[in-house]
Amino acid sequence: MAKKKKGKKGKKGKKGPEILTTGRILIERERAMCPRFGDAYARTERADIVKDEVAFYRIKKAVDKKLDCIDLAGCSYAFVPDELSQVPSLAATLVDLNLARNQLFNSDSAFSVLKNLVNLKRLSL
């Protein structure tokens, strides 16, 4: 009798396209797979809402008091707030803008908003 080969032979042939996994996909996978991760996810969502409110208040305060600088560092923004260019008085008076510790990876969208700030002299990214 002939001996049988042990083990898997594996697939032969062409491999499919490489699967792209983004950070957002990984977060959604973790949220769906881990039953207690929903709590951390809810806390993160609440923290993001608070950060948005703080940033909006800082912009509103700068408009009301006619300040020439705004500190929006650490707001976890993936974009530059449109309010910076939509309020004409702010666009005319803003000299210093701090956007450090944000997630501004798409510089085209960031600079399309920032180009309307004509008096801007200092920008921290």
Side-chain angles (χ1 to χ4, degrees):
M1 262 203 226
K3 283 188 167 181
K4 292 184 180 180
K5 293 184 181 180
K6 295 182 182 179
K8 295 183 179 182
K9 295 182 181 181
K11 292 184 179 180
K12 296 182 180 168
K14 295 182 181 179
K15 291 184 179 182
E18 184 177 330
I19 298 172
L20 177 67
T21 304
T22 62
R24 186 178 188 103
I25 292 172
L26 292 174
I27 289 171
E28 286 300 316
R29 279 186 193 158
E30 288 175 4
R31 186 177 68 82
M33 300 267 181
C34 181
R36 293 295 299 175
F37 188 73
D39 297 340
Y41 186 75
R43 277 194 305 265
T44 304
E45 288 294 317
R46 285 194 302 266
D48 289 341
I49 291 170
V50 170
K51 287 178 184 179
D52 287 341
E53 289 175 359
V54 167
F56 181 75
Y57 175 75
R58 287 178 181 171
I59 293 171
K60 185 177 179 244
K61 180 180 167 186
V63 171
D64 292 342
K65 294 188 176 188
K66 297 180 181 170
L67 299 175
D68 62 346
C69 65
I70 297 179
D71 182 17
L72 297 176
C75 291
S76 300
Y77 274 142
F79 58 90
V80 177
D82 291 331
E83 290 89 3
L84 293 176
S85 63
Q86 290 175 350
V87 179
S89 62
L90 183 62
T93 60
L94 193 61
V95 175
D96 183 9
L97 180 61
N98 186 0
L99 294 171
R101 296 190 334 239
N102 284 302
Q103 300 167 354
L104 299 172
F105 298 118
N106 187 356
S107 61
D108 293 337
S109 66
F111 286 108
S112 66
V113 172
L114 295 175
K115 71 179 179 182
N116 296 329
L117 305 175
V118 291
N119 292 330
L120 190 65
K121 293 187 173 140
R122 183 171 176 235
L123 175 65
S124 297
L125 294 175

